Amino acid sequence: MRFVWQFLAVLAAYALSGTAVQAVKDNDWLTLVVGLTAAALIMFVYAWVVRRTERRQARDVALEGALTRTGWGILIGAGMFSAVITNLLSSGYYEVEGLGSVQGAIGLVGFMAGAAATEEVVYRGVLFRIIEEHIGTYLALGLTGLVFGFSHLLNEDATLWGAVAIAVEAGFMLAAAYAATRSLWLTIGVHFGWNFAAGGVFSTVVSGNGDSEGLLNATMSGPKLLTGGDFGPEGSVYSVGFGVLLTLVFLWLAHRRGNIVPFGSRRRAAGVDAAATLPR
């Protein structure tokens, strides 16, 4: 029953936040403010509903160390996407033509922050965490990763391959990151860093949602297998490859820290405190 209440609570906040951001999307400054507010709202709702339904504090969104974990996540996500762009640039498939829009990038900070926080709370904070208790880490990672990937079929220029790519490089990887650190701050940072680098810095299509106006004015052309076509670089085999690599790293870290939940153990993994930070 706690799953139902938690899912409904965060879904309501998700819907409210999404509606608010869409209503102001043509104003970059309002998008910044509303997006950041939406991110704060979903975190508050998640912490509140976990406290009410599980009679405990939501340690995966504890404020202590939140900035550090989010910062690490942003570096990981932005670094991963930058590696994809570096490969495309060196192959001649991505070309920078000049500077883009600073104001557009500012609006994308709010938009991407709201999207990252709400999606991570829904998919990792509620779905993965609770399902993991019943079927273990690996099965929960596979199931929720596929749900996350195929939810992107609703996007404007969605493709079946794009959805599969998102499932592997993001759905699996972010669930593995959560299993390794038991911190939503880190997964939100990774999610935001990836998306903002894609749209806010390199001005590429993000998840088949049309062109982005970021800091660089750039064009991309070439084989769909490498560029992702209309879906954007998230449909590139480069993205899938880097996503698989990071997934394996995070799963190794989760195993090393004893954070892997075996099938049928009924262990409430979010209660693990020792694995809340990345190794120094």
Side-chain angles (χ1 to χ4, degrees), residues 240-254:
V240 175
F242 286 122
V244 169
L245 180 61
L246 267 182
T247 298
L248 294 175
V249 170
F250 280 127
L251 285 178
W252 169 80
L253 187 58

Side-chain angles (χ1 to χ4, degrees), residues 29 40 135 178 221 278:
W29 292 102
I135 64 175
Y178 182 80
S221 61
L278 288 173

Side-chain angles (χ1 to χ4, degrees), residues 21 29 53-54 76 79 84 88-89 114 116-117 125 127 137 149 170 193-194 197 219 245 256 264 266:
V21 171
W29 292 102
T53 58
E54 299 187 17
I76 292 169
V84 174
L88 293 172
L89 182 66
L127 289 179
T137 299
W194 171 273
T219 59
L245 180 61
R256 181 183 175 187
R266 301 285 294 178

Side-chain angles (χ1 to χ4, degrees), residues 30-48:
L30 278 178
T31 300
L32 173 65
V33 173
V34 173
L36 293 176
T37 302
L41 173 65
I42 194 75
M43 303 303 283
F44 173 81
V45 169
Y46 174 73
W48 172 80

Side-chain angles (χ1 to χ4, degrees), residues 108-269:
L108 285 170
V109 169
F111 185 86
M112 297 306 185
T118 52
E119 290 184 5
E120 288 311 301
V121 166
V122 171
Y123 287 98
R124 259 59 68 178
V126 176
L127 289 179
F128 173 77
R129 179 176 61 84
I130 294 180
I131 291 174
E132 182 189 32
E133 294 175 15
H134 297 272
I135 64 175
T137 299
Y138 295 116
L139 288 178
L141 181 148
L143 177 61
T144 61
L146 289 173
V147 172
F148 181 72
F150 283 97
S151 69
H152 288 73
L153 285 173
L154 300 174
N155 294 352
E156 181 181 350
D157 294 314
T159 64
L160 180 59
W161 163 247
V164 172
I166 289 287
V168 174
E169 74 205 26
F172 296 169
M173 184 268 289
L174 289 166
Y178 182 80
T181 64
R182 299 299 166 184
S183 171
L184 280 175
W185 295 115
L186 183 117
T187 64
I188 289 169
V190 174
H191 198 144
F192 172 80
W194 171 273
N195 280 355
F196 183 73
V201 177
F202 298 109
S203 302
T204 66
V205 176
V206 181
S207 306
N209 280 311
D211 295 330
S212 299
E213 190 177 8
L215 294 175
L216 298 177
N217 181 17
T219 59
M220 191 162 55
S221 61
K224 290 184 178 180
L225 190 63
L226 298 180
T227 65
D230 291 338
F231 190 78
E234 286 165 310
S236 167
V237 291
Y238 292 134
S239 296
V240 175
F242 286 122
V244 169
L245 180 61
L246 267 182
T247 298
L248 294 175
V249 170
F250 280 127
L251 285 178
W252 169 80
L253 187 58
H255 185 270
R256 181 183 175 187
R257 291 174 167 176
N259 285 359
I260 298 295
V261 179
F263 176 78
S265 72
R266 301 285 294 178
R267 171 182 157 198
R268 193 165 285 190

Side-chain angles (χ1 to χ4, degrees), residues 65-77:
L67 287 178
T68 300
R69 293 165 193 160
T70 304
W72 272 110
I74 292 173
L75 287 175
I76 292 169

